[in-house]
Amino acid sequence: MEQDLKKILIDEKQIMERVQELGREISSQYPPETDLIMVCILRGAVVFLSDLARSIDRPVTFDFMEVSSYGEGTESTGVVRIIKDLGENIQGRHVLIVEDIIDTGQTLKYVVDVLKTRKPASIKTVTLLDKPERRVTKQIKVDFNGFEVPDEFVVGYGLDYAQKYRNLPYIAVLKPEAYS
Ligand code: IMP
Ligand code: MG
């Protein structure tokens, strides 16, 4: 597995510190006792969700949505569809969408647009990683962002290539040979 990696971009300690900070930032944006529903975008954001939730000092519940834009490759196809929808009704609730990485921005834009039609009290977005160079959707605004990363394919801490590497405790750049 390690031989497929070019370099470690963000180590475990940096991730943990930043996730704690994000939790404090997010908590400060909601009045005490605000109930938050954290909507985790499967599957990449699962690891981030579990650490982030424990650093948020507000009552939270979890829900999950799976969308697809990728197939097995490393390039977004631009066509997003819902594979698994939420279990809960979000009308009148405070929604925090939890993403692993914003690349072109198309997945997040699609999810925000769909969830807005369900009349939540508020929608905010948090992503662990952001690749701003690759953005094609200008209308997308991310409320909380962990780290900006360069335009390279990254894996670990939930992020995969062809479903692998999700259990690495750090974020690493994959060697191009590993996916070509
Ligand atoms: P977007 O629609 O192009 O913004 O793509 C977002 C989705 O693509 C994320 O939720 C990830 O699952 C996946 N993705 C984008 N870039 C990477 C990467 O560098 N490594 C792993 N997954 C990625
Ligand atoms: Mg993925």
Side-chain angles (χ1 to χ4, degrees):
M1 200 134 103
E2 272 79 20
Q3 69 277 10
D4 299 336
L5 307 177
K6 193 162 106 183
K7 61 165 186 269
I8 294 181
L9 208 58
I10 308 167
D11 69 25
E12 204 173 346
K13 184 163 173 282
Q14 290 173 294
I15 296 174
M16 288 312 150
E17 284 173 3
R18 186 70 185 117
V19 170
Q20 293 298 315
E21 268 173 28
L22 281 173
R24 284 194 290 273
E25 248 179 77
I26 291 168
S27 305
S28 74
Q29 296 299 305
Y30 296 95
E33 303 314 316
T34 307
D35 284 303
L36 274 182
I37 175 160
M38 297 179 78
V39 168
C40 175
I41 308 303
L42 294 172
R43 300 168 210 169
V46 165
V47 177
F48 179 41
L49 170 84
S50 76
D51 284 333
L52 182 65
R54 286 176 285 176
S55 72
I56 293 179
D57 181 23
R58 293 290 178 272
V60 309
T61 57
F62 298 163
D63 206 345
F64 298 87
M65 190 167 188
E66 183 167 11
V67 293
S68 138
S69 65
Y70 257 59
E72 293 282 277
T74 61
E75 287 291 323
S76 180
T77 58
V79 182
V80 186
R81 64 194 175 94
I82 297 180
I83 309 282
K84 182 211 170 292
D85 206 341
L86 297 179
E88 310 260 327
N89 182 351
I90 58 167
Q91 185 171 358
R93 303 178 66 184
H94 294 281
V95 172
L96 178 65
I97 300 172
V98 182
E99 248 294 31
D100 53 356
I101 185 166
I102 319 284
D103 186 26
T104 64
Q106 294 171 109
T107 304
L108 189 65
K109 178 170 191 311
Y110 175 82
V111 171
V112 169
D113 288 348
V114 167
L115 297 191
K116 265 188 187 156
T117 67
R118 302 180 187 178
K119 312 253 182 320
S122 70
I123 296 195
K124 289 189 192 291
T125 51
V126 55
T127 185
L128 178 69
L129 307 176
D130 186 10
K131 265 188 207 172
E133 279 172 57
R134 299 256 307 163
R135 201 62 40 81
V136 297
T137 319
K138 297 280 175 267
Q139 312 97 295
I140 192 78
K141 125 182 168 309
V142 186
D143 296 287
F144 311 98
N145 171 29
F147 302 91
E148 282 195 2
V149 291
D151 181 13
E152 290 182 284
F153 200 79
V154 294
V155 295
Y157 195 72
L159 289 98
D160 73 305
Y161 169 66
Q163 303 304 328
K164 292 196 298 183
Y165 312 105
R166 294 195 196 274
N167 59 326
L168 297 175
Y170 45 77
I171 304 283
V173 177
L174 197 59
K175 278 185 187 158
E177 307 92 273
Y179 55 82
S180 53

